[in-house]
Amino acid sequence: MPPLISHNKLIEDDWRPVGDDQIIGDGEKVIISLARLRQQWDALARMHLTLAVELEPTAAVDQLVPFLDHLEMVVLHFDTFTDGRAFSQARLLRGRHLFSGDIRAVGDVLCDQLSFMRRCGFNQFQLAVDQDIDLAFRLFADISRHYQRASLGLVTE
Amino acid sequence: MYAYSQLDQQLVEQRVEQFRDQTSRYLAGKLDEEVFKQLRLRNGLYLQRHAPMLRVAVPYGVLNSTQMRALASIARDYDKRYAHVTTRQNFQFNWPALEAVPDILARLASVQMHAIQTSGNCIRNVTSDPLAGVAADEISDPRIWCELIRQWSTLHPEFSFLPRKFKFAVTGSRQDRVASQVHDIGLQVIKNTHAQPGFRVLVGGGMGRTPVIGKVIQEFLPAADLISYLEAILRVYNLYGRRDNLYKARIKILVNAIGIDSFRQQVDSEWQQIRESELRLTEEHIRQVSDSFKIYRYRKLPVGDTGLERLLHGNPMFSSWYRQNTREHRQPGYRIVYVSLKAHGQPPGDINDEQMDHIADLADQFSLGEIRTTYTQNLVLAHVEQSQLYDLWRALGKIKLAMPNIGTVNDIICCPGSDFCSLANASSIDISSDIMNRFEALDRLYDIGDIRINISGCMNACGHHHVGHIGLLGVDKKGEDWYQITLGGSATNDTALGKVLGPAVIKADIGRAVEQIIEVYVELRQPGESFLQTLDRVGRGPFKERIYATVN
């Protein structure tokens, strides 16, 4: 598995990502798609699950809003490191919808972008496989001064 | 001139060290080629045809003499003793070694300069009126707003990986000298009926492969809402701009695809949620930025005769330069001076290290230590006492910077073309040189009057060919350089996109073709009629006939 950083520590991933046609057991800790969440919500809500949703870069954050109180984590996807949509998605989740669970970056997650991600509200980072973990910790705050104020959930320290 | 705060300085210094680290990791083979490309572009560094090219930001085109000397020293120590003023008011070095770039950036940081976001798919250096704060026709000084946009957009964590590059231009005058209608966002500072400042906001303009004139998204945006509104536009663009096709990724394509009304609606619904946030500009914040601009200490000068009239009468060369290269200043007794970088035998916009040092000295001596750059690739000394114009003119003449050709056929906007740029399809510098040689005689130049000729070596349109009265676009046909001619473009208040005249013309004939276009204009014009007015009246027919009867 690619290394996972959470709250500035390297951690083991105890989440299980499940495909839309995979079976979920009672009380499991799973990452599901937005489509499954919306289609099977009534059933899922009765299963005592610990839930996370993975949102595609094309999906509107608004679709997730009715469910946010029931989610431990939202997973946002970088198809390529140059695709910056997840930065906006994270900011909307944190700043506008006041989501207080974890926001995890997955996909093409590069050390050199961690400080931007962190400032937009991400707090879990599943690094791309070729990324160096020591470098990641070093680059979290390679620039410590910012012009943008704490507006709308932007992390400023 | 804006003076850095401690925050500005620290941020720029940290950015230098960040880039030093990225460069050394790349050179050590620890950073992927494609990743480094994206990182270095966001710091203005291209790997070009011959060597890297470093584009240094000149925020809204204002420099002080110390900064100019630093640029000269970089040209001397790290380059081939010259630099290039770009069509976005920046300075470009064509020959630095990659290994040396972090040191160059450190030297820039020591004089409050940087190369942040001069390239890459992010918010680029903001351009503005080279006559900001001094123009007689100014409604409100645009520099304060430019600086606020600079700060907001610098290393913005949400908007550093946009679908495509994003360019702002801000004007505060009645006369548009920034090409505001052909930028991703054009801001025109205006005042409402209560004399409060605000902005007319245009969105979705641009040149390149698909030239589009910007559309009005807000007739009057109150000044306090500037940043929240820009953030709303950028968020809609970041989320919904196309990312599947490089050529359809600019905001103009999004605006055209969904229509300006629908785009405005989306922006508004985003804006309503952030309008009353911390993004709202307080009067205190605006004052703080405004106070960071040093006030120009003008002398109280006599308005009447300063001996200037006598000198103008006695010296036709000085008189031509005065007429062609100087403009009215709002301060009595002062004059604005354009320094032409369009000398015969020189690529448009190029300036060597000695000239840079001299210009810095002349700025200190004659113009409150300040130099401006223009998107037409010239310099401006904005605060010259009328009584010192003659001395300045003589001093400029000694360093070959007194060409009296601002606004003429020879004041060509020109990209570096295939001589330097790896994107170019054709050369552009030698074409501009060919054209300039045809109009060497000043009498002829002045008789023709003001005509804007713009040349781009490829359809990325760095040379603004779409908005030239006469535009030339280099195209590659089976390994040969050919040029498409457009007529009727303009980038001022009457912004228009030129229309293609006919088939492309081969390199050997293109200079002659441009000369013929100008001859047709001179033959057909009525007294006092500009090139665009004549073209409008007679149509493209006569121009087409003349050119295609003889070439191809």
Side-chain angles (χ1 to χ4, degrees):
Chain A
M1 277 303 282
L4 179 65
I5 298 171
S6 170
H7 298 93
N8 298 320
K9 283 198 298 282
L10 205 57
I11 61 160
E12 289 294 322
D13 192 3
D14 59 355
W15 286 91
R16 186 168 77 96
V18 291
D20 286 353
D21 47 5
Q22 278 178 291
I23 293 165
I24 302 173
D26 233 13
E28 269 204 281
K29 187 171 181 178
V30 288
I31 303 171
I32 61 171
S33 72
L34 174 66
R36 186 166 191 175
L37 177 79
R38 298 177 69 187
Q39 280 157 18
Q40 304 178 9
W41 172 244
D42 290 340
L44 292 167
R46 289 191 296 270
M47 292 174 71
H48 309 290
L49 300 170
T50 305
L51 264 185
V53 167
E54 177 161 353
L55 204 62
E56 292 302 314
T58 47
V61 165
D62 286 355
Q63 297 183 302
L64 206 54
V65 172
F67 308 99
L68 281 180
D69 286 346
H70 308 282
L71 298 179
E72 290 278 306
M73 179 167 80
V74 175
V75 178
L76 299 177
H77 200 267
F78 288 84
D79 286 344
T80 73
F81 74 98
T82 53
D83 185 340
R85 286 176 285 195
F87 291 111
S88 286
Q89 291 176 320
R91 254 197 103 188
L92 288 172
L93 283 169
R94 279 280 186 257
R96 178 159 311 158
H97 304 300
L98 306 177
F99 179 63
S100 59
D102 291 326
I103 301 180
R104 177 185 288 189
V106 302
D108 201 10
V109 176
L110 306 186
C111 295
D112 288 283
Q113 290 176 310
L114 291 176
S115 60
F116 284 149
M117 290 179 188
R118 194 182 64 95
R119 294 187 58 212
C120 284
F122 288 95
N123 63 341
Q124 289 204 1
F125 310 88
Q126 192 174 74
L127 297 176
V129 278
D130 59 345
Q131 297 295 294
D132 180 314
I133 296 157
D134 295 333
L135 182 67
F137 285 111
R138 183 159 69 77
L139 294 188
F140 262 112
D142 54 352
I143 302 236
S144 66
R145 303 302 310 265
H146 315 295
Y147 288 118
Q148 301 78 18
R149 298 169 179 197
S151 126
L152 302 168
L154 267 186
V155 176
T156 53
E157 82 280 9
Chain B
M1 183 78 208
Y2 178 79
Y4 268 18
S5 67
Q6 203 191 24
L7 165 62
D8 296 316
Q9 188 64 40
Q10 285 177 345
L11 194 147
V12 165
E13 285 170 9
Q14 289 185 352
R15 182 73 181 101
V16 173
E17 291 316 308
Q18 184 185 48
F19 189 73
R20 192 185 292 283
D21 180 56
Q22 290 167 351
T23 306
S24 66
R25 276 189 281 134
Y26 170 71
L27 292 170
K30 290 181 184 162
L31 193 53
D32 177 76
E33 186 83 43
E34 179 56 27
V35 174
F36 183 61
K37 178 183 173 186
Q38 295 303 326
L39 298 177
R40 64 172 161 76
L41 284 177
R42 282 164 179 74
N43 216 9
L45 187 65
Y46 289 74
L47 293 181
Q48 286 285 35
R49 193 150 288 209
H50 305 292
M53 180 274 278
L54 179 66
R55 188 180 290 148
V56 176
V58 181
Y60 31 97
V62 187
L63 289 161
N64 63 35
S65 54
T66 308
Q67 293 173 326
M68 185 59 102
R69 286 190 192 95
L71 293 172
S73 79
I74 290 166
R76 198 154 41 238
D77 298 345
Y78 296 101
D79 205 290
K80 297 190 175 180
R81 306 187 78 114
Y82 71 94
H84 176 75
V85 175
T86 76
T87 52
R88 290 192 54 72
Q89 297 180 293
N90 291 322
F91 261 81
Q92 215 157 274
F93 293 103
N94 283 309
W95 305 93
L98 173 59
E99 296 78 0
V101 171
D103 292 337
I104 297 174
L105 295 172
R107 190 177 293 188
L108 289 170
S110 74
V111 294
Q112 309 192 346
M113 294 187 86
H114 60 79
I116 298 170
Q117 289 166 215
T118 52
S119 180
N121 294 339
C122 52
I123 299 170
R124 300 289 190 86
N125 182 46
V126 178
T127 57
S128 188
D129 188 350
L131 310 191
V134 295
D137 66 339
E138 190 165 270
I139 299 163
S140 181
D141 191 336
R143 290 171 304 158
I144 297 153
W145 313 111
C146 291
E147 178 56 27
L148 281 159
I149 296 168
R150 184 192 76 83
Q151 295 187 11
W152 160 75
S153 62
T154 297
L155 303 183
H156 195 297
E158 183 179 347
F159 304 131
S160 287
F161 289 86
L162 297 170
R164 199 75 178 85
K165 58 189 167 183
F166 204 96
K167 298 174 179 177
F168 281 89
V170 188
T171 172
S173 283
R174 278 173 186 72
Q175 176 73 19
D176 184 347
R177 285 176 288 264
V178 307
S180 69
Q181 298 187 54
V182 282
H183 279 76
D184 295 286
I185 290 183
L187 294 168
Q188 302 168 348
V189 191
I190 50 176
K191 285 188 174 157
N192 67 7
T193 44
H194 307 290
Q196 290 158 327
F199 304 91
R200 191 159 179 265
V201 184
L202 305 172
V203 70
M207 291 183 269
R209 203 167 282 251
T210 316
V212 182
I213 293 174
K215 298 167 183 69
V216 177
I217 185 166
Q218 275 278 349
E219 278 294 351
F220 184 82
L221 177 73
D225 295 322
L226 175 65
I227 301 299
S228 63
Y229 195 72
L230 296 182
E231 184 138 323
I233 293 179
L234 264 295
R235 182 165 295 139
V236 169
Y237 172 56
N238 190 43
L239 285 170
Y240 303 111
R242 282 180 65 172
R243 291 174 184 267
D244 59 328
N245 182 340
L246 183 69
Y247 303 120
K248 301 203 180 296
R250 293 288 287 270
I251 195 172
K252 61 194 172 190
I253 304 291
L254 175 64
V255 173
N256 279 354
I258 65 176
I260 182 65
D261 292 327
S262 167
F263 183 76
R264 183 186 297 111
Q265 234 167 29
Q266 281 196 40
V267 169
D268 273 348
S269 79
E270 182 58 42
W271 184 41
Q272 290 317 321
Q273 310 210 44
I274 57 177
R275 191 176 179 182
E276 300 304 329
S277 72
E278 281 187 44
L279 294 173
R280 192 182 179 85
L281 293 170
T282 61
E283 278 179 32
E284 192 200 332
H285 189 182
I286 294 170
R287 194 173 331 110
Q288 223 173 37
V289 171
S290 163
D291 287 349
S292 303
F293 284 88
K294 269 189 265 169
I295 292 167
Y296 299 123
R297 303 212 176 279
Y298 295 119
R299 299 200 309 143
K300 255 209 156 72
L301 297 176
V303 190
D305 187 23
T306 54
L308 180 65
E309 287 301 321
R310 188 172 43 79
L311 286 165
L312 287 172
H313 274 297
N315 192 327
M317 288 295 284
F318 176 54
S319 166
S320 302
W321 176 82
Y322 177 86
R323 190 189 60 243
Q324 212 65 39
N325 288 31
T326 77
R327 300 286 182 274
E328 189 189 347
H329 195 294
R330 67 165 71 147
Q331 187 72 20
Y334 283 81
R335 198 87 186 152
I336 299 162
V337 171
Y338 277 81
V339 178
S340 168
L341 299 182
K342 312 294 170 66
H344 287 271
Q346 280 287 335
D350 273 15
I351 181 167
N352 68 37
D353 63 323
E354 285 176 22
Q355 288 174 320
M356 284 192 260
D357 275 334
H358 281 299
I359 280 287
D361 293 344
L362 295 177
D364 282 339
Q365 194 183 344
F366 294 105
S367 194
L368 307 179
E370 190 192 76
I371 304 117
R372 316 246 181 124
T373 52
T374 78
Y375 86 86
T376 54
Q377 301 175 289
N378 294 304
L379 301 177
V380 167
L381 295 173
H383 326 273
V384 182
E385 294 182 20
Q386 276 189 13
S387 60
Q388 299 195 317
L389 282 170
Y390 185 76
D391 291 343
L392 173 61
W393 172 70
R394 301 238 321 178
L396 286 170
K398 283 183 195 152
I399 52 170
K400 299 193 165 56
L401 289 178
M403 290 77 69
N405 59 7
I406 296 295
T408 68
V409 170
N410 282 351
D411 188 5
I412 296 169
I413 294 181
C414 180
C415 74
S418 59
D419 291 320
F420 294 98
C421 179
S422 45
L423 302 173
N425 295 321
S427 67
S428 50
I429 292 171
D430 51 354
I431 303 302
S432 81
S433 162
D434 180 0
I435 295 169
M436 288 177 82
N437 287 337
R438 288 168 191 275
F439 298 98
E440 211 158 1
L442 282 175
D443 287 349
R444 186 176 177 210
L445 205 62
Y446 296 148
D447 175 58
I448 294 164
D450 289 0
I451 293 185
R452 168 133 300 295
I453 299 178
N454 294 353
I455 310 174
S456 303
C458 77
M459 39 199 167
N460 288 313
C462 295
H464 294 200
H465 65 275
H466 298 296
V467 291
H469 299 163
I470 302 171
L472 302 182
L473 163 66
V475 288
D476 174 61
K477 279 196 192 179
K478 295 183 186 147
E480 285 182 321
D481 290 4
W482 291 66
Y483 298 85
Q484 194 180 71
I485 304 170
T486 49
L487 292 188
S490 168
T492 58
N493 297 43
D494 57 350
T495 292
L497 303 169
K499 291 199 179 76
V500 177
L501 191 61
V505 174
I506 197 164
K507 185 173 190 163
D509 294 333
I510 189 67
R512 176 86 194 107
V514 170
E515 193 172 13
Q516 286 174 320
I517 290 169
I518 290 165
E519 282 166 4
V520 170
Y521 159 62
V522 170
E523 287 163 24
L524 297 183
R525 70 181 167 189
Q526 290 172 352
E529 206 175 48
S530 72
F531 179 81
L532 290 181
Q533 287 166 337
T534 302
L535 176 66
D536 207 33
R537 182 172 53 79
V538 306
R540 289 180 297 156
F543 297 95
K544 215 167 163 171
E545 275 164 36
R546 181 77 54 95
I547 289 179
Y548 295 106
T550 51
V551 301
N552 294 349

